[in-house]
Amino acid sequence: MKLNNIIDRIKLPFRKEKELFSSLYEILGFYPHNIEYYKMALMHKSIRKRNDKGKPLNNERLEFLGDAILDAAVGYIVYRHYEGKREGFLTNTRSKLVSRETLGKLAAEMRLSNLVLSAGHSTSHNSYVEGNAFEALVGAIYLDRGYEACLWFFENQVLGKYIDIDKVAFKEVNFKSKLLEWSQKNRVRLEYKLTKQKKDENGSPVFTYMVQIEGVNGESGSGYSKKEAQQKASKDTLQRLKREPQFVDAVFAAKTARTQMEEEPAMAVPDPEKEQQNFIIEQEEPVVEEVAAKPAEKPKKAPTIDFTDKEFDLSDISHKEKSREEIIAEAEAAAFADD
């Protein structure tokens, strides 16, 4: 009986090791040389495990390494895939591919998250933990098999199966539309003010726009077209609205001051005895960008993985006064209008 117990203890770790090899092969497309690197990549810091010298054992160092390798590998893939494209386009595409949300969803889709060891909680729906594990996995691949293996892994196991690089590259979050939707829902005045227009060293025009909400200065953005500049300004302003309560307070304080002023009598009560008295008070129109509206474009088919950035969901700092359908229709019409 004792001999059988000893044999069972020997078989159990071997069986678990074999299962890990098999699971990693499905994810990587090849078998690890040194399984210890991958075990470390799958070890979350919440386990609080330490080595013989008392130093923590977790995937944070591999995450650091994997992040750098991933930037280089994906940058090279994007550079090679889009010959002749500008630096801004290449940088934007790489950023989408290696974003925390993208890597977290990749880890979930590839079932890497099922292998992550953490203490007392599940990693499902936790893109931060899963994204870190994905970067750590790339770091493990680099130490185990080198840079070329990392490049092969992303090209063949990721882009070849889970992500359509072209759909990711040309999918844009319409930040201007999101900001317009938020402003209309909260009945605040939004304006895009052209603050600078110049030419670069090649003679190409460069536009700079600033967002103003109820007269409160938001962020500025520059670009080679008005649309590009307004998109950048809208994105940075959305980030401020999401992260700076003081900015939101200033906007709504300005709105309150404006509405109180508008409610006060604009003029003395007219004398009915006076001739040619005009009793009609012209209403001031909301200060929004004056653009000709055109029908909203049909939504494009979503990529394999949804890259919608929830960071710019402002529903928690707004109060709805119109139906969502009305607001989205108005915002999209204005956002996609000709510059």
Side-chain angles (χ1 to χ4, degrees):
M1 181 65 72
K2 290 184 179 179
L3 180 60
N4 289 337
N5 288 339
I6 293 172
I7 293 173
D8 287 340
R9 284 197 212 98
I10 294 173
K11 284 183 178 179
L12 186 59
F14 176 76
R15 190 183 306 122
K16 288 185 177 180
E17 197 108 318
K18 187 176 180 180
E19 289 174 358
L20 180 58
F21 265 96
S22 178
S23 297
L24 286 172
Y25 179 81
E26 291 182 9
I27 294 171
L28 302 173
F30 52 81
Y31 286 109
H33 286 161
N34 187 341
I35 193 66
E36 296 304 318
Y37 290 133
Y38 301 90
K39 287 180 179 179
M40 185 70 71
L42 299 171
M43 192 175 297
H44 187 251
K45 64 181 180 180
S46 61
I47 293 183
R48 301 183 183 280
K49 188 174 182 180
R50 295 181 178 273
N51 62 15
D52 296 337
K53 296 181 179 179
K55 293 184 178 180
L57 294 174
N58 56 56
N59 63 5
E60 288 187 335
R61 284 172 54 82
L62 281 174
E63 175 199 338
F64 166 79
L65 177 61
D67 177 56
I69 299 300
L70 200 56
D71 266 356
V74 174
Y76 173 67
I77 291 169
V78 171
Y79 174 84
R80 189 180 58 192
H81 189 79
Y82 295 108
E83 185 177 352
K85 287 290 186 180
R86 286 184 175 181
E87 178 191 2
F89 174 86
L90 300 178
T91 300
N92 190 35
T93 301
R94 181 183 62 184
S95 297
K96 292 176 187 177
L97 289 170
V98 300
S99 71
R100 180 68 56 197
E101 185 178 1
T102 301
L103 299 184
K105 289 184 177 181
L106 275 173
E109 290 287 329
M110 301 173 83
R111 298 184 180 178
L112 175 64
S113 53
N114 296 342
L115 303 177
V116 177
L117 301 176
S118 61
H121 60 82
S122 171
T123 61
S124 62
H125 307 300
N126 189 336
S127 62
Y128 184 80
V129 173
E130 294 169 346
N132 288 352
F134 187 93
E135 289 179 336
L137 180 70
V138 173
I141 296 171
Y142 178 77
L143 293 178
D144 185 40
R145 286 176 170 259
Y147 176 76
E148 291 298 325
C150 297
L151 198 61
W152 183 93
F153 165 69
F154 204 85
E155 283 189 303
N156 294 276
Q157 295 297 103
V158 177
L159 297 182
K161 294 183 178 181
Y162 298 98
I163 295 179
D164 184 325
I165 188 172
D166 292 320
K167 287 184 178 179
V168 174
F170 293 102
K171 173 181 170 56
E172 288 189 20
V173 177
N174 194 326
F175 300 108
K176 182 178 176 182
S177 175
K178 286 180 176 290
L179 188 56
L180 281 167
E181 178 183 347
W182 180 83
S183 66
Q184 290 177 11
K185 181 161 54 177
N186 289 279
R187 297 184 179 277
V188 295
R189 293 182 174 181
L190 173 65
E191 181 181 7
Y192 289 86
K193 185 177 180 181
L194 180 64
T195 58
K196 187 184 298 183
Q197 184 174 345
K198 63 178 184 179
K199 292 186 178 181
D200 65 9
E201 61 274 10
N202 297 319
S204 300
V206 178
F207 303 92
T208 300
Y209 274 86
M210 173 184 284
V211 171
Q212 290 187 330
I213 310 177
E214 289 291 349
V216 179
N217 289 342
E219 295 300 303
S220 295
S222 299
Y224 288 101
S225 68
K226 294 178 181 179
K227 180 179 179 181
E228 181 185 1
Q230 291 171 2
Q231 278 278 64
K232 290 180 178 179
S234 298
K235 178 181 179 181
D236 291 344
T237 301
L238 283 165
Q239 288 176 330
R240 281 192 66 188
L241 285 168
K242 193 67 178 176
R243 299 172 183 175
E244 297 182 22
Q246 301 91 335
F247 179 51
V248 178
D249 291 343
V251 168
F252 281 99
K255 177 191 175 183
T256 300
R258 172 180 61 81
T259 53
Q260 287 177 346
M261 187 180 301
E262 289 177 350
E263 289 172 359
E264 295 175 358
M267 56 181 294
V269 178
D271 185 351
E273 300 299 324
K274 288 185 178 180
E275 297 180 359
Q276 298 179 347
Q277 174 66 54
N278 183 8
F279 289 87
I280 300 176
I281 302 175
E282 295 183 0
Q283 298 297 315
E284 182 181 358
E285 303 213 351
V287 183
V288 294
E289 188 187 21
E290 296 181 4
V291 290
K294 67 178 182 180
E297 296 179 358
K298 293 182 179 179
K300 297 180 181 179
K301 185 178 179 182
T304 306
I305 297 178
D306 180 14
F307 291 94
T308 303
D309 196 339
K310 296 180 182 178
E311 181 183 3
F312 301 103
D313 177 11
L314 303 179
S315 58
D316 57 332
I317 55 174
S318 61
H319 17 282
K320 190 173 181 181
E321 300 184 21
K322 292 185 180 181
S323 72
R324 180 170 178 79
E325 291 74 18
E326 291 174 333
I327 293 166
I328 291 176
E330 292 176 11
E332 290 292 334
F336 286 103
D338 293 331
D339 290 324

mmCIF file with all atom_site columns, all heavy atoms in Angstrom, residues 79-96:
data_model
loop_
_atom_site.group_PDB
_atom_site.id
_atom_site.type_symbol
_atom_site.label_atom_id
_atom_site.label_alt_id
_atom_site.label_comp_id
_atom_site.label_asym_id
_atom_site.label_entity_id
_atom_site.label_seq_id
_atom_site.pdbx_PDB_ins_code
_atom_site.Cartn_x
_atom_site.Cartn_y
_atom_site.Cartn_z
_atom_site.occupancy
_atom_site.B_iso_or_equiv
_atom_site.pdbx_formal_charge
_atom_site.auth_seq_id
_atom_site.auth_comp_id
_atom_site.auth_asym_id
_atom_site.auth_atom_id
_atom_site.pdbx_PDB_model_num
ATOM 1   N N   . TYR A 1 79 ? 4.764  47.619 -39.566 1.00 0.00 ? 79 TYR A N   1
ATOM 2   C CA  . TYR A 1 79 ? 5.626  48.333 -40.521 1.00 0.00 ? 79 TYR A CA  1
ATOM 3   C C   . TYR A 1 79 ? 5.704  47.586 -41.846 1.00 0.00 ? 79 TYR A C   1
ATOM 4   O O   . TYR A 1 79 ? 5.606  48.175 -42.923 1.00 0.00 ? 79 TYR A O   1
ATOM 5   C CB  . TYR A 1 79 ? 7.019  48.487 -39.911 1.00 0.00 ? 79 TYR A CB  1
ATOM 6   C CG  . TYR A 1 79 ? 8.046  49.087 -40.845 1.00 0.00 ? 79 TYR A CG  1
ATOM 7   C CD1 . TYR A 1 79 ? 8.163  50.469 -40.993 1.00 0.00 ? 79 TYR A CD1 1
ATOM 8   C CD2 . TYR A 1 79 ? 8.906  48.271 -41.593 1.00 0.00 ? 79 TYR A CD2 1
ATOM 9   C CE1 . TYR A 1 79 ? 9.105  51.021 -41.852 1.00 0.00 ? 79 TYR A CE1 1
ATOM 10  C CE2 . TYR A 1 79 ? 9.843  48.813 -42.441 1.00 0.00 ? 79 TYR A CE2 1
ATOM 11  C CZ  . TYR A 1 79 ? 9.942  50.185 -42.573 1.00 0.00 ? 79 TYR A CZ  1
ATOM 12  O OH  . TYR A 1 79 ? 10.863 50.722 -43.435 1.00 0.00 ? 79 TYR A OH  1
ATOM 13  N N   . ARG A 1 80 ? 5.880  46.286 -41.760 1.00 0.00 ? 80 ARG A N   1
ATOM 14  C CA  . ARG A 1 80 ? 6.008  45.467 -42.968 1.00 0.00 ? 80 ARG A CA  1
ATOM 15  C C   . ARG A 1 80 ? 4.667  45.311 -43.690 1.00 0.00 ? 80 ARG A C   1
ATOM 16  O O   . ARG A 1 80 ? 4.617  45.289 -44.916 1.00 0.00 ? 80 ARG A O   1
ATOM 17  C CB  . ARG A 1 80 ? 6.544  44.100 -42.570 1.00 0.00 ? 80 ARG A CB  1
ATOM 18  C CG  . ARG A 1 80 ? 6.933  43.202 -43.748 1.00 0.00 ? 80 ARG A CG  1
ATOM 19  C CD  . ARG A 1 80 ? 7.450  41.883 -43.246 1.00 0.00 ? 80 ARG A CD  1
ATOM 20  N NE  . ARG A 1 80 ? 6.445  41.219 -42.413 1.00 0.00 ? 80 ARG A NE  1
ATOM 21  C CZ  . ARG A 1 80 ? 6.705  40.162 -41.647 1.00 0.00 ? 80 ARG A CZ  1
ATOM 22  N NH1 . ARG A 1 80 ? 7.927  39.688 -41.569 1.00 0.00 ? 80 ARG A NH1 1
ATOM 23  N NH2 . ARG A 1 80 ? 5.749  39.611 -40.937 1.00 0.00 ? 80 ARG A NH2 1
ATOM 24  N N   . HIS A 1 81 ? 3.585  45.243 -42.933 1.00 0.00 ? 81 HIS A N   1
ATOM 25  C CA  . HIS A 1 81 ? 2.263  45.000 -43.519 1.00 0.00 ? 81 HIS A CA  1
ATOM 26  C C   . HIS A 1 81 ? 1.727  46.221 -44.259 1.00 0.00 ? 81 HIS A C   1
ATOM 27  O O   . HIS A 1 81 ? 1.049  46.088 -45.276 1.00 0.00 ? 81 HIS A O   1
ATOM 28  C CB  . HIS A 1 81 ? 1.286  44.592 -42.413 1.00 0.00 ? 81 HIS A CB  1
ATOM 29  C CG  . HIS A 1 81 ? -0.035 44.116 -42.914 1.00 0.00 ? 81 HIS A CG  1
ATOM 30  N ND1 . HIS A 1 81 ? -0.225 42.850 -43.416 1.00 0.00 ? 81 HIS A ND1 1
ATOM 31  C CD2 . HIS A 1 81 ? -1.243 44.739 -42.998 1.00 0.00 ? 81 HIS A CD2 1
ATOM 32  C CE1 . HIS A 1 81 ? -1.482 42.702 -43.785 1.00 0.00 ? 81 HIS A CE1 1
ATOM 33  N NE2 . HIS A 1 81 ? -2.124 43.829 -43.537 1.00 0.00 ? 81 HIS A NE2 1
ATOM 34  N N   . TYR A 1 82 ? 2.038  47.425 -43.740 1.00 0.00 ? 82 TYR A N   1
ATOM 35  C CA  . TYR A 1 82 ? 1.511  48.654 -44.337 1.00 0.00 ? 82 TYR A CA  1
ATOM 36  C C   . TYR A 1 82 ? 2.652  49.491 -44.908 1.00 0.00 ? 82 TYR A C   1
ATOM 37  O O   . TYR A 1 82 ? 3.095  50.464 -44.304 1.00 0.00 ? 82 TYR A O   1
ATOM 38  C CB  . TYR A 1 82 ? 0.721  49.454 -43.297 1.00 0.00 ? 82 TYR A CB  1
ATOM 39  C CG  . TYR A 1 82 ? -0.518 48.746 -42.823 1.00 0.00 ? 82 TYR A CG  1
ATOM 40  C CD1 . TYR A 1 82 ? -0.585 48.204 -41.544 1.00 0.00 ? 82 TYR A CD1 1
ATOM 41  C CD2 . TYR A 1 82 ? -1.618 48.597 -43.662 1.00 0.00 ? 82 TYR A CD2 1
ATOM 42  C CE1 . TYR A 1 82 ? -1.722 47.535 -41.113 1.00 0.00 ? 82 TYR A CE1 1
ATOM 43  C CE2 . TYR A 1 82 ? -2.748 47.931 -43.243 1.00 0.00 ? 82 TYR A CE2 1
ATOM 44  C CZ  . TYR A 1 82 ? -2.796 47.407 -41.973 1.00 0.00 ? 82 TYR A CZ  1
ATOM 45  O OH  . TYR A 1 82 ? -3.918 46.741 -41.552 1.00 0.00 ? 82 TYR A OH  1
ATOM 46  N N   . GLU A 1 83 ? 3.102  49.112 -46.051 1.00 0.00 ? 83 GLU A N   1
ATOM 47  C CA  . GLU A 1 83 ? 4.206  49.807 -46.706 1.00 0.00 ? 83 GLU A CA  1
ATOM 48  C C   . GLU A 1 83 ? 3.756  51.193 -47.152 1.00 0.00 ? 83 GLU A C   1
ATOM 49  O O   . GLU A 1 83 ? 2.719  51.349 -47.795 1.00 0.00 ? 83 GLU A O   1
ATOM 50  C CB  . GLU A 1 83 ? 4.689  48.996 -47.909 1.00 0.00 ? 83 GLU A CB  1
ATOM 51  C CG  . GLU A 1 83 ? 5.910  49.581 -48.591 1.00 0.00 ? 83 GLU A CG  1
ATOM 52  C CD  . GLU A 1 83 ? 6.403  48.719 -49.741 1.00 0.00 ? 83 GLU A CD  1
ATOM 53  O OE1 . GLU A 1 83 ? 5.884  47.599 -49.900 1.00 0.00 ? 83 GLU A OE1 1
ATOM 54  O OE2 . GLU A 1 83 ? 7.296  49.177 -50.467 1.00 0.00 ? 83 GLU A OE2 1
ATOM 55  N N   . GLY A 1 84 ? 4.521  52.201 -46.810 1.00 0.00 ? 84 GLY A N   1
ATOM 56  C CA  . GLY A 1 84 ? 4.234  53.559 -47.249 1.00 0.00 ? 84 GLY A CA  1
ATOM 57  C C   . GLY A 1 84 ? 3.324  54.352 -46.323 1.00 0.00 ? 84 GLY A C   1
ATOM 58  O O   . GLY A 1 84 ? 3.130  55.545 -46.531 1.00 0.00 ? 84 GLY A O   1
ATOM 59  N N   . LYS A 1 85 ? 2.762  53.712 -45.297 1.00 0.00 ? 85 LYS A N   1
ATOM 60  C CA  . LYS A 1 85 ? 1.872  54.428 -44.386 1.00 0.00 ? 85 LYS A CA  1
ATOM 61  C C   . LYS A 1 85 ? 2.685  55.325 -43.436 1.00 0.00 ? 85 LYS A C   1
ATOM 62  O O   . LYS A 1 85 ? 3.823  55.019 -43.095 1.00 0.00 ? 85 LYS A O   1
ATOM 63  C CB  . LYS A 1 85 ? 1.039  53.450 -43.560 1.00 0.00 ? 85 LYS A CB  1
ATOM 64  C CG  . LYS A 1 85 ? -0.062 52.749 -44.347 1.00 0.00 ? 85 LYS A CG  1
ATOM 65  C CD  . LYS A 1 85 ? -1.169 53.724 -44.706 1.00 0.00 ? 85 LYS A CD  1
ATOM 66  C CE  . LYS A 1 85 ? -2.333 53.012 -45.369 1.00 0.00 ? 85 LYS A CE  1
ATOM 67  N NZ  . LYS A 1 85 ? -3.415 53.956 -45.724 1.00 0.00 ? 85 LYS A NZ  1
ATOM 68  N N   . ARG A 1 86 ? 2.053  56.414 -42.999 1.00 0.00 ? 86 ARG A N   1
ATOM 69  C CA  . ARG A 1 86 ? 2.722  57.375 -42.120 1.00 0.00 ? 86 ARG A CA  1
ATOM 70  C C   . ARG A 1 86 ? 2.941  56.814 -40.720 1.00 0.00 ? 86 ARG A C   1
ATOM 71  O O   . ARG A 1 86 ? 2.282  55.874 -40.287 1.00 0.00 ? 86 ARG A O   1
ATOM 72  C CB  . ARG A 1 86 ? 1.893  58.658 -42.012 1.00 0.00 ? 86 ARG A CB  1
ATOM 73  C CG  . ARG A 1 86 ? 1.958  59.536 -43.253 1.00 0.00 ? 86 ARG A CG  1
ATOM 74  C CD  . ARG A 1 86 ? 1.192  60.822 -43.012 1.00 0.00 ? 86 ARG A CD  1
ATOM 75  N NE  . ARG A 1 86 ? 1.326  61.752 -44.120 1.00 0.00 ? 86 ARG A NE  1
ATOM 76  C CZ  . ARG A 1 86 ? 0.767  62.955 -44.139 1.00 0.00 ? 86 ARG A CZ  1
ATOM 77  N NH1 . ARG A 1 86 ? 0.054  63.362 -43.109 1.00 0.00 ? 86 ARG A NH1 1
ATOM 78  N NH2 . ARG A 1 86 ? 0.926  63.751 -45.179 1.00 0.00 ? 86 ARG A NH2 1
ATOM 79  N N   . GLU A 1 87 ? 3.847  57.470 -40.021 1.00 0.00 ? 87 GLU A N   1
ATOM 80  C CA  . GLU A 1 87 ? 4.196  57.043 -38.667 1.00 0.00 ? 87 GLU A CA  1
ATOM 81  C C   . GLU A 1 87 ? 2.980  57.048 -37.743 1.00 0.00 ? 87 GLU A C   1
ATOM 82  O O   . GLU A 1 87 ? 2.789  56.138 -36.931 1.00 0.00 ? 87 GLU A O   1
ATOM 83  C CB  . GLU A 1 87 ? 5.277  57.965 -38.095 1.00 0.00 ? 87 GLU A CB  1
ATOM 84  C CG  . GLU A 1 87 ? 5.669  57.613 -36.661 1.00 0.00 ? 87 GLU A CG  1
ATOM 85  C CD  . GLU A 1 87 ? 6.537  58.682 -36.027 1.00 0.00 ? 87 GLU A CD  1
ATOM 86  O OE1 . GLU A 1 87 ? 6.799  59.703 -36.672 1.00 0.00 ? 87 GLU A OE1 1
ATOM 87  O OE2 . GLU A 1 87 ? 6.920  58.477 -34.863 1.00 0.00 ? 87 GLU A OE2 1
ATOM 88  N N   . GLY A 1 88 ? 2.141  58.089 -37.853 1.00 0.00 ? 88 GLY A N   1
ATOM 89  C CA  . GLY A 1 88 ? 0.975  58.182 -36.989 1.00 0.00 ? 88 GLY A CA  1
ATOM 90  C C   . GLY A 1 88 ? 0.038  56.995 -37.145 1.00 0.00 ? 88 GLY A C   1
ATOM 91  O O   . GLY A 1 88 ? -0.481 56.459 -36.158 1.00 0.00 ? 88 GLY A O   1
ATOM 92  N N   . PHE A 1 89 ? -0.186 56.583 -38.390 1.00 0.00 ? 89 PHE A N   1
ATOM 93  C CA  . PHE A 1 89 ? -1.051 55.428 -38.653 1.00 0.00 ? 89 PHE A CA  1
ATOM 94  C C   . PHE A 1 89 ? -0.437 54.159 -38.064 1.00 0.00 ? 89 PHE A C   1
ATOM 95  O O   . PHE A 1 89 ? -1.138 53.350 -37.439 1.00 0.00 ? 89 PHE A O   1
ATOM 96  C CB  . PHE A 1 89 ? -1.254 55.272 -40.159 1.00 0.00 ? 89 PHE A CB  1
ATOM 97  C CG  . PHE A 1 89 ? -2.013 54.033 -40.551 1.00 0.00 ? 89 PHE A CG  1
ATOM 98  C CD1 . PHE A 1 89 ? -3.397 54.022 -40.587 1.00 0.00 ? 89 PHE A CD1 1
ATOM 99  C CD2 . PHE A 1 89 ? -1.328 52.870 -40.877 1.00 0.00 ? 89 PHE A CD2 1
ATOM 100 C CE1 . PHE A 1 89 ? -4.093 52.873 -40.930 1.00 0.00 ? 89 PHE A CE1 1
ATOM 101 C CE2 . PHE A 1 89 ? -2.016 51.717 -41.234 1.00 0.00 ? 89 PHE A CE2 1
ATOM 102 C CZ  . PHE A 1 89 ? -3.405 51.723 -41.262 1.00 0.00 ? 89 PHE A CZ  1
ATOM 103 N N   . LEU A 1 90 ? 0.861  53.978 -38.268 1.00 0.00 ? 90 LEU A N   1
ATOM 104 C CA  . LEU A 1 90 ? 1.542  52.783 -37.762 1.00 0.00 ? 90 LEU A CA  1
ATOM 105 C C   . LEU A 1 90 ? 1.495  52.735 -36.237 1.00 0.00 ? 90 LEU A C   1
ATOM 106 O O   . LEU A 1 90 ? 1.232  51.680 -35.648 1.00 0.00 ? 90 LEU A O   1
ATOM 107 C CB  . LEU A 1 90 ? 2.993  52.766 -38.244 1.00 0.00 ? 90 LEU A CB  1
ATOM 108 C CG  . LEU A 1 90 ? 3.212  52.755 -39.770 1.00 0.00 ? 90 LEU A CG  1
ATOM 109 C CD1 . LEU A 1 90 ? 4.703  52.779 -40.086 1.00 0.00 ? 90 LEU A CD1 1
ATOM 110 C CD2 . LEU A 1 90 ? 2.553  51.552 -40.416 1.00 0.00 ? 90 LEU A CD2 1
ATOM 111 N N   . THR A 1 91 ? 1.757  53.880 -35.611 1.00 0.00 ? 91 THR A N   1
ATOM 112 C CA  . THR A 1 91 ? 1.735  53.940 -34.140 1.00 0.00 ? 91 THR A CA  1
ATOM 113 C C   . THR A 1 91 ? 0.342  53.643 -33.602 1.00 0.00 ? 91 THR A C   1
ATOM 114 O O   . THR A 1 91 ? 0.179  52.899 -32.627 1.00 0.00 ? 91 THR A O   1
ATOM 115 C CB  . THR A 1 91 ? 2.184  55.336 -33.665 1.00 0.00 ? 91 THR A CB  1
ATOM 116 O OG1 . THR A 1 91 ? 3.518  55.588 -34.132 1.00 0.00 ? 91 THR A OG1 1
ATOM 117 C CG2 . THR A 1 91 ? 2.159  55.432 -32.148 1.00 0.00 ? 91 THR A CG2 1
ATOM 118 N N   . ASN A 1 92 ? -0.673 54.207 -34.249 1.00 0.00 ? 92 ASN A N   1
ATOM 119 C CA  . ASN A 1 92 ? -2.046 54.009 -33.810 1.00 0.00 ? 92 ASN A CA  1
ATOM 120 C C   . ASN A 1 92 ? -2.450 52.537 -33.928 1.00 0.00 ? 92 ASN A C   1
ATOM 121 O O   . ASN A 1 92 ? -3.088 51.969 -33.027 1.00 0.00 ? 92 ASN A O   1
ATOM 122 C CB  . ASN A 1 92 ? -2.982 54.879 -34.646 1.00 0.00 ? 92 ASN A CB  1
ATOM 123 C CG  . ASN A 1 92 ? -4.390 54.908 -34.094 1.00 0.00 ? 92 ASN A CG  1
ATOM 124 O OD1 . ASN A 1 92 ? -4.600 54.877 -32.895 1.00 0.00 ? 92 ASN A OD1 1
ATOM 125 N ND2 . ASN A 1 92 ? -5.364 54.956 -34.978 1.00 0.00 ? 92 ASN A ND2 1
ATOM 126 N N   . THR A 1 93 ? -2.049 51.907 -35.033 1.00 0.00 ? 93 THR A N   1
ATOM 127 C CA  . THR A 1 93 ? -2.390 50.494 -35.251 1.00 0.00 ? 93 THR A CA  1
ATOM 128 C C   . THR A 1 93 ? -1.691 49.610 -34.221 1.00 0.00 ? 93 THR A C   1
ATOM 129 O O   . THR A 1 93 ? -2.299 48.705 -33.648 1.00 0.00 ? 93 THR A O   1
ATOM 130 C CB  . THR A 1 93 ? -1.999 50.062 -36.672 1.00 0.00 ? 93 THR A CB  1
ATOM 131 O OG1 . THR A 1 93 ? -2.682 50.895 -37.622 1.00 0.00 ? 93 THR A OG1 1
ATOM 132 C CG2 . THR A 1 93 ? -2.367 48.606 -36.928 1.00 0.00 ? 93 THR A CG2 1
ATOM 133 N N   . ARG A 1 94 ? -0.415 49.862 -33.994 1.00 0.00 ? 94 ARG A N   1
ATOM 134 C CA  . ARG A 1 94 ? 0.312  49.081 -32.988 1.00 0.00 ? 94 ARG A CA  1
ATOM 135 C C   . ARG A 1 94 ? -0.320 49.248 -31.613 1.00 0.00 ? 94 ARG A C   1
ATOM 136 O O   . ARG A 1 94 ? -0.473 48.271 -30.869 1.00 0.00 ? 94 ARG A O   1
ATOM 137 C CB  . ARG A 1 94 ? 1.777  49.505 -32.935 1.00 0.00 ? 94 ARG A CB  1
ATOM 138 C CG  . ARG A 1 94 ? 2.602  48.698 -31.914 1.00 0.00 ? 94 ARG A CG  1
ATOM 139 C CD  . ARG A 1 94 ? 4.026  49.195 -31.824 1.00 0.00 ? 94 ARG A CD  1
ATOM 140 N NE  . ARG A 1 94 ? 4.092  50.582 -31.372 1.00 0.00 ? 94 ARG A NE  1
ATOM 141 C CZ  . ARG A 1 94 ? 5.206  51.277 -31.276 1.00 0.00 ? 94 ARG A CZ  1
ATOM 142 N NH1 . ARG A 1 94 ? 6.369  50.732 -31.608 1.00 0.00 ? 94 ARG A NH1 1
ATOM 143 N NH2 . ARG A 1 94 ? 5.190  52.538 -30.873 1.00 0.00 ? 94 ARG A NH2 1
ATOM 144 N N   . SER A 1 95 ? -0.705 50.470 -31.274 1.00 0.00 ? 95 SER A N   1
ATOM 145 C CA  . SER A 1 95 ? -1.308 50.731 -29.968 1.00 0.00 ? 95 SER A CA  1
ATOM 146 C C   . SER A 1 95 ? -2.591 49.934 -29.776 1.00 0.00 ? 95 SER A C   1
ATOM 147 O O   . SER A 1 95 ? -2.861 49.420 -28.689 1.00 0.00 ? 95 SER A O   1
ATOM 148 C CB  . SER A 1 95 ? -1.603 52.226 -29.811 1.00 0.00 ? 95 SER A CB  1
ATOM 149 O OG  . SER A 1 95 ? -0.408 52.973 -29.836 1.00 0.00 ? 95 SER A OG  1
ATOM 150 N N   . LYS A 1 96 ? -3.386 49.828 -30.839 1.00 0.00 ? 96 LYS A N   1
ATOM 151 C CA  . LYS A 1 96 ? -4.623 49.053 -30.744 1.00 0.00 ? 96 LYS A CA  1
ATOM 152 C C   . LYS A 1 96 ? -4.329 47.578 -30.527 1.00 0.00 ? 96 LYS A C   1
ATOM 153 O O   . LYS A 1 96 ? -5.008 46.900 -29.753 1.00 0.00 ? 96 LYS A O   1
ATOM 154 C CB  . LYS A 1 96 ? -5.450 49.224 -32.021 1.00 0.00 ? 96 LYS A CB  1
ATOM 155 C CG  . LYS A 1 96 ? -6.016 50.615 -32.237 1.00 0.00 ? 96 LYS A CG  1
ATOM 156 C CD  . LYS A 1 96 ? -6.725 50.665 -33.581 1.00 0.00 ? 96 LYS A CD  1
ATOM 157 C CE  . LYS A 1 96 ? -7.165 52.073 -33.934 1.00 0.00 ? 96 LYS A CE  1
ATOM 158 N NZ  . LYS A 1 96 ? -7.786 52.125 -35.270 1.00 0.00 ? 96 LYS A NZ  1
#
